[in-house]
Amino acid sequence: MPDNTPLSKAGDFAPEVLKLFDQYVHGIIDRRGFLDGAARHAKAGVTAVGLLAALSPRFAQAQKVAPTDPRIKAEWVELPSPQGNGKLRGYLVRPANAPQGKLPTVLVVHENRGLNPHIEDIARRVALENFIAFAPDALFTLGGYPGDEDKARELFTKLDQTKTREDFVVAANYLKALPAGNGKLGVVGFCYGGGISNFLATRLPTLDAAVPFYGGAPTLDKVPDIKAALLLHYAGDDERINAGWPAYEAALQAAKVKYEAHVYKGTQHGFNNDTTPRYDEASAELAWQRTIDFFKRTLKA
């Protein structure tokens, strides 16, 4: 039976537990490292295993647009990627009853677990805003998202990131040239995907807009290559990612790159992910509305 108990909130956990979970999610510590550390902060009646379960995603409870929603048309697309992993696969979604004319396109880049149900749902949400969305799965070359977050994180460490970045370049170029598209391309990414969004901004002079959510900064000497408009979202309580922002901002200013940045006070890394307790509804809704408005401004024909 599905777990219909309410999601916990970030405030229900000790800050030290949230920090440990962030380290675990990003491979800085392993599962045993999290459990050993969390055990020191477990309250009566709550085990470290229970804390991990409470912090883990619940995809079904957070789904906003069903895969069978009649308002969208979705399909799986495979593309050759000779400079990458040979082939890539992604989830292409468009509105079923779009306005006449060609639509702007948005590449959706997942976190460090591959194309899980949450990011598929994000792609469908983007499509309902009258964009064509394409969400590749970086784990395709290793069999695809395995249906388990822990296994997905383990698989992710086995990727050749140089080749994987080339896969995302192929995906972006495919979307930019899509016949049904208007020739305008944006990218939105979360965590790992935020870092890929920043990377693509430095790599693709044809990219029109990039929206990294709590993403790592790109190589700073590549910042002058950015031609896209940027909208950057940062969590307030995210020391690991935020440590790189001052130097990144200085490089953006020096290169006169057009950007807008927002820090959402009191939020955790991953605050937009509504499948976990780190979700912050008010900040996520504001960041999402800013993102959609930004794409509507920058991706018009």
Side-chain angles (χ1 to χ4, degrees):
M1 294 179 62
D3 185 355
N4 292 317
T5 56
L7 279 173
S8 301
K9 304 293 185 184
D12 298 332
F13 301 88
E16 295 85 358
V17 171
L18 292 172
K19 185 174 182 178
L20 285 165
F21 185 69
D22 185 74
Q23 292 173 341
Y24 170 57
V25 166
H26 295 97
I28 300 169
I29 60 174
D30 61 12
R31 178 184 173 89
R32 174 49 54 193
F34 172 84
L35 295 176
D36 289 346
R40 295 194 289 270
H41 303 283
K43 298 177 182 178
V46 179
T47 65
V49 171
L51 288 171
L52 181 57
L55 284 162
S56 297
R58 296 185 193 170
F59 297 123
Q61 285 182 243
Q63 185 182 89
K64 291 187 177 180
V65 187
T68 56
D69 193 307
R71 296 173 296 170
I72 61 167
K73 291 181 180 178
E75 60 183 304
W76 292 93
V77 175
E78 292 187 11
L79 303 171
S81 181
Q83 303 304 315
N85 287 292
K87 185 183 288 187
L88 67 90
R89 184 174 191 254
Y91 186 54
L92 184 68
V93 194
R94 66 190 76 203
N97 300 301
Q100 288 188 343
K102 297 178 182 293
L103 297 178
T105 62
V106 176
L107 187 70
V108 179
V109 188
H110 54 64
E111 300 152 314
N112 68 335
R113 274 92 75 197
L115 186 56
N116 63 23
H118 169 64
I119 299 300
E120 291 180 13
D121 192 43
I122 291 287
R124 294 192 290 269
R125 297 177 201 179
V126 170
L128 285 183
E129 298 289 346
N130 289 318
F131 299 97
I132 300 173
F134 185 51
D137 185 359
L139 290 178
F140 174 65
T141 187
L142 299 177
Y145 175 72
D148 178 280
E149 292 287 280
D150 287 343
K151 291 179 181 177
R153 276 191 288 270
E154 292 173 11
L155 281 177
F156 219 81
T157 63
K158 299 177 181 179
L159 288 173
D160 180 327
Q161 286 298 332
T162 298
K163 291 183 177 180
T164 298
R165 285 193 291 270
E166 292 303 317
D167 287 342
F168 283 111
V169 169
V170 168
N173 287 333
Y174 158 77
L175 201 50
K176 179 86 174 180
L178 203 65
N182 70 351
K184 294 286 188 176
L185 172 65
V187 58
V188 59
F190 308 88
C191 182
Y192 168 82
I196 292 293
S197 300
N198 280 321
F199 159 72
L200 290 174
T202 66
R203 176 68 180 273
L204 298 174
T206 57
L207 184 67
D208 298 288
V211 184
F213 275 75
Y214 27 84
T219 304
L220 295 183
D221 63 6
K222 299 294 185 183
V223 169
D225 295 335
I226 296 176
K227 305 302 180 187
L230 302 181
L231 172 63
L232 305 108
H233 300 300
Y234 289 95
D237 299 333
D238 190 3
E239 293 180 9
R240 181 178 54 84
I241 291 296
N242 293 354
W245 171 236
Y248 185 20
E249 183 174 37
L252 290 170
Q253 292 175 345
K256 295 182 170 54
V257 174
K258 184 178 180 181
Y259 77 94
E260 178 182 336
H262 299 279
V263 179
Y264 298 84
K265 186 177 180 181
T267 61
Q268 299 287 322
H269 183 94
F271 72 82
N272 186 72
N273 188 332
D274 50 4
T275 72
T276 79
R278 296 191 292 177
Y279 173 61
D280 185 286
E281 183 176 10
S283 295
E285 289 185 353
L286 176 57
W288 187 250
Q289 191 58 56
R290 282 172 169 163
T291 298
I292 295 302
D293 290 344
F294 178 73
F295 281 147
K296 288 180 178 179
R297 290 196 309 270
T298 56
L299 302 181
K300 292 180 180 179

